[in-house]
Amino acid sequence: MIEGALRMILTSIHLVTNFIATRLKYLSLNRLTVCKCQNRVRGKVVVLTGATNGIGYYTALDLAKKGSLLYLACRNGEKAKKIVRNLRRVTDNKEIHYLHLDLSKFSTIENFVTAFKDREQTLNVLINNAAIFHHPSYLTEDGIEVTYQTNYLGVYMLTSKLEPLLKNTPASQVVFVSSEAHRLVTAEDVKNFDCTKEVELRTFHDHVKLYGISKLALHMYADHLSKEAVGVSVLLVNPGNVWSNIYQNCWLSWRDLVTRTKCAVYMRDPKEGAQSTIHAVNSPRGTRYYITDTLSKDTLEEYDSGFLIKKSSQLLRPKSVSMS
């Protein structure tokens, strides 16, 4: 009872601080970052992961308004179906669909790809948006650390299985939503990380490091994909530091209320955070770019990612069953 009441109080404070932050942003002299590119997604088949809240929701709203044939790949089916109904109503776009996907379960990735291929023969844009942060560490049913699987290995599996469709679709595109946290770790950290073991997460820094490892792995895979998938545009985007549900497990004690309030006021809101992804899919075609939170384009760094791709492929191989 007490724990539930405290959670309700914290949720209320979260809503109030979001409201205050929104009003302060409108009063601010700083101009919000907004993509003003022409519509380049009308009629295109787009898959978007993690679209039920935050950056993903505002990305979905923009894609729906612009007339894309949109598939929301989400874990929470009930919530996703409500989002689909709402987007169809407010945008008058009836080509918005939901297919179940949980990146922390390889079986649902397989099922998603099969269901999608049953419906579509082309894929113009794949937006890998879903991610988790500051999440308790445990091994998934596939035996992989949950943050690493959700943020990287599941994304690797999904993209690899959709790669044939992408290659067979002219001017197709893959967008990975990343983070500046990838700069806080090294390729050696990725190489030495054992994703088959739980991670001891005692401090906020520990969570940031784990998140950074998963995001740097994403950069290394994007570098590999951009060279291997000829004809497919590969982009990474940085949404900036966005106050969204990705922080739902952070700063939950009473002594952290000031921190939460500061974050809500000074961080970006999800609508602004979505602009780098919106810019990626609507700006003139290009590849091997890292689009920053100010919508500028940096050339994608090159990595020696052979070890990561080999390891990832091995982890996805079906485990042999010994016969006694």
Side-chain angles (χ1 to χ4, degrees):
M1 288 285 291
I2 295 176
E3 184 178 345
L6 289 176
R7 177 69 67 171
M8 288 181 64
I9 292 170
L10 288 170
T11 300
S12 299
I13 292 172
H14 181 66
L15 293 172
V16 170
T17 51
N18 281 351
F19 177 81
I20 295 171
T22 302
R23 295 304 178 271
L24 288 175
K25 282 178 170 58
Y26 280 118
L27 293 173
S28 173
L29 296 177
N30 296 323
R31 295 179 62 187
L32 300 183
T33 301
V34 178
C35 173
K36 297 181 179 179
C37 294
Q38 70 182 67
N39 183 353
R40 289 184 169 88
V41 295
R42 185 176 302 280
K44 290 187 176 182
V45 179
V46 181
V47 168
L48 170 64
T49 67
T52 54
N53 54 58
I55 294 170
Y57 171 76
Y58 284 100
T59 302
L61 178 61
D62 189 82
L63 289 165
K65 285 180 177 179
K66 290 175 178 172
S68 66
L69 197 168
L70 181 59
Y71 285 87
L72 306 184
C74 305
R75 179 180 56 190
N76 187 327
E78 183 178 348
K79 196 170 182 179
K81 289 173 185 177
K82 289 181 180 178
I83 296 293
V84 167
R85 290 194 296 269
N86 180 61
L87 290 178
R88 286 177 177 174
R89 178 178 57 81
V90 300
T91 68
D92 202 32
N93 181 349
K94 306 307 177 187
E95 294 296 338
I96 306 170
H97 311 280
Y98 155 70
L99 290 176
H100 182 250
L101 174 71
D102 184 345
L103 291 169
S104 69
K105 296 180 180 179
F106 291 158
S107 59
T108 75
I109 299 175
E110 294 276 10
N111 293 340
F112 171 86
V113 172
T114 299
F116 180 77
K117 287 182 176 179
D118 285 343
R119 293 178 176 224
E120 303 292 340
Q121 284 70 55
T122 60
L123 176 56
N124 299 101
V125 183
L126 169 61
I127 303 175
N128 289 301
N129 169 76
I132 59 174
F133 171 66
H134 208 287
H135 197 282
S137 182
Y138 63 84
L139 298 186
T140 67
E141 63 184 35
D142 305 298
I144 308 296
E145 200 287 322
V146 64
T147 295
Y148 189 81
Q149 179 165 332
T150 302
N151 294 1
Y152 166 66
L153 193 58
V155 177
Y156 170 87
M157 179 180 180
L158 175 66
T159 307
S160 297
K161 290 188 173 294
L162 290 175
E163 189 176 334
L165 274 183
L166 290 160
K167 286 181 175 179
N168 290 330
T169 305
S172 61
Q173 188 178 47
V174 179
V175 178
F176 298 97
V177 178
S178 184
S179 164
E180 282 294 274
H182 84 278
R183 301 189 191 277
L184 303 179
V185 297
T186 66
E188 199 65 22
D189 290 322
V190 175
K191 188 173 185 178
N192 294 331
F193 180 70
D194 186 352
C195 65
T196 63
K197 295 181 179 179
E198 293 182 9
V199 180
E200 189 173 1
L201 301 169
R202 293 184 175 181
T203 67
F204 186 79
H205 174 76
D206 293 335
H207 286 280
V208 171
K209 183 176 181 180
L210 174 58
Y211 185 72
I213 287 172
S214 71
K215 289 301 185 179
L216 180 55
L218 208 60
H219 277 248
M220 297 172 79
Y221 172 49
D223 174 50
H224 167 81
L225 184 66
S226 68
K227 299 169 183 175
E228 190 271 334
V230 178
V232 180
S233 171
V234 178
L235 302 173
L236 288 130
V237 302
N238 170 30
N241 211 350
V242 178
W243 184 244
S244 70
N245 280 1
I246 200 167
Y247 288 107
Q248 63 185 333
N249 294 316
C250 301
W251 309 303
L252 296 179
S253 70
W254 286 104
R255 63 180 178 272
D256 293 325
L257 291 181
V258 172
T259 300
R260 288 182 67 85
T261 302
K262 286 181 179 179
C263 289
V265 171
Y266 294 111
M267 284 185 182
R268 292 179 157 203
D269 62 35
K271 184 176 182 179
E272 187 176 10
Q275 296 307 306
S276 53
T277 304
I278 293 168
H279 188 67
V281 298
N282 287 285
S283 60
R285 181 175 166 78
T287 191
R288 291 189 56 79
Y289 286 123
Y290 178 49
I291 298 177
T292 70
D293 54 353
T294 61
L295 307 189
S296 62
K297 292 182 178 179
D298 295 338
T299 302
L300 184 62
E301 292 183 48
E302 294 199 35
Y303 299 94
D304 181 9
S305 57
F307 74 88
L308 177 66
I309 303 306
K310 181 179 179 181
K311 180 181 178 182
S312 302
S313 299
Q314 290 173 342
L315 288 167
L316 295 183
R317 289 174 186 165
K319 294 179 175 62
S320 58
V321 180
S322 58
M323 303 294 291
S324 56

